[in-house]
């Protein structure tokens, strides 16, 4: 997730101080991606160093305000114009866990798959409930649209993970029944 670009987008609406940026970021993302205030100030420091934001005085409470510079506006525009790269597979902890479990004595990979499926299914039910609540509130609260979009992404990701786990389980069963040959050992492996 690009905290850097998220902060630039928020600053496009006008100067803000760090904790306000944190609050606005969490509100805009529907509360699904909480930020540590240290992340906000570290990112602001880097953005300032790179000439994308500048200090813009202090507010009535003495908090330092940050404003978007022309370089920041250009970077933000470029970010919106660029598609998000899908070049390489992400380092997915679940995929790593499953492939490591395959070669570990005493670990039943099917149990690992089933434990994960139960976990994801519980999360999915909770996300579907939250999505229904957001849908019910959306007409009266336009801010709910951002939360709704994030919840729908989470629901779709969870559904995809359950499908992938079903696929893994089916593949494991075919291999253990001898319905599919095991891949040959690679030389030097």
């Amino acid at each position: 997730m690009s905290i850097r670009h998220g902060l630039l987008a928020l600053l496009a609406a006008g100067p803000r101080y760090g904790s306000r940026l944190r609050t606005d970021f969490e509100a805009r993302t529907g509360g699904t991606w909480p930020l540590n205030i240290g992340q906000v100030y570290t990112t602001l420091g880097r953005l300032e160093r790179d000439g994308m934001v500048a200090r813009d005085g202090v507010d009535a409470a003495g908090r330092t305000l940050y404003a978007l510079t022309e370089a920041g506006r250009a970077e933000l525009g470029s970010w919106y114009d660029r598609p998000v790269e899908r070049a390489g597979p992400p380092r997915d902890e679940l995929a790593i866990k499953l492939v490591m479990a395959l070669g570990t004595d005493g670990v039943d990979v099917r149990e690992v798959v089933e434990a994960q499926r139960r976990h994801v299914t519980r999360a999915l039910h909770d996300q579907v409930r939250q999505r229904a609540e957001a849908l019910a509130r959306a007409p009266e609260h336009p801010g709910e649209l951002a939360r709704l979009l994030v919840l729908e992404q989470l629901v779709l990701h969870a559904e995809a993970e359950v499908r992938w786990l079903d696929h893994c389980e089916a593949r494991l069963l075919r291999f253990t029944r001898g319905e599919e040959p095991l891949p040959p050992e690679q030389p030097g492996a």
Side-chain angles (χ1 to χ4, degrees):
M1 166 184 42
S2 179
I3 296 169
R4 169 187 179 97
H5 291 102
L7 297 182
L8 290 174
L10 292 169
L11 288 169
R16 290 185 169 86
Y17 53 90
S19 59
R20 171 77 189 272
L21 284 165
R22 175 183 174 219
T23 301
D24 290 350
F25 184 93
E26 290 177 359
R28 187 76 65 92
T29 61
T32 55
W33 291 306
L35 284 183
N36 176 309
I37 194 65
Q39 287 176 289
V40 172
Y41 282 107
T42 299
T43 303
L44 283 171
R46 289 182 184 140
L47 288 168
E48 186 177 23
R49 176 199 67 200
D50 296 343
M52 294 189 200
V53 302
R55 293 176 193 232
D56 191 38
V58 294
D59 68 2
R63 296 174 290 220
T64 301
L65 296 171
Y66 293 87
L68 198 58
T69 64
E70 285 307 312
R73 280 188 201 292
E75 174 60 25
L76 182 59
S78 176
W79 181 60
Y80 282 132
D81 290 342
R82 282 189 313 265
V84 175
E85 287 295 322
R86 302 285 186 209
R91 289 188 184 169
D92 183 283
E93 184 178 352
L94 176 57
I96 293 168
K97 181 188 277 190
L98 291 181
V99 299
M100 293 301 164
L102 283 171
T104 303
D105 289 335
V107 176
D108 185 337
V109 181
R110 288 172 298 198
E111 288 178 15
V112 175
V113 167
E114 185 54 35
Q116 184 68 25
R117 184 185 293 111
R118 283 190 306 271
H119 172 75
V120 173
T121 300
R122 282 191 301 270
L124 178 59
H125 288 298
D126 185 50
Q127 292 160 353
V128 167
R129 178 189 53 74
Q130 290 179 49
R131 180 180 65 184
E133 291 169 358
L135 273 168
R137 285 193 303 267
E140 299 94 39
H141 299 92
E144 279 294 300
L145 180 58
R147 183 168 183 265
L148 181 60
L149 292 176
V150 172
L151 285 167
E152 287 173 334
Q153 181 197 34
L154 294 172
V155 166
L156 292 170
H157 278 265
E159 289 173 345
E161 186 171 319
V162 169
R163 284 194 313 274
W164 181 68
L165 289 166
D166 291 345
H167 173 78
C168 289
E169 184 176 53
R171 177 76 65 204
L172 288 166
L173 285 172
R174 285 192 299 269
F175 275 119
T176 58
R177 290 182 186 155
E179 295 172 13
E180 289 187 39
L182 289 172
E185 285 290 321
Q186 298 297 318

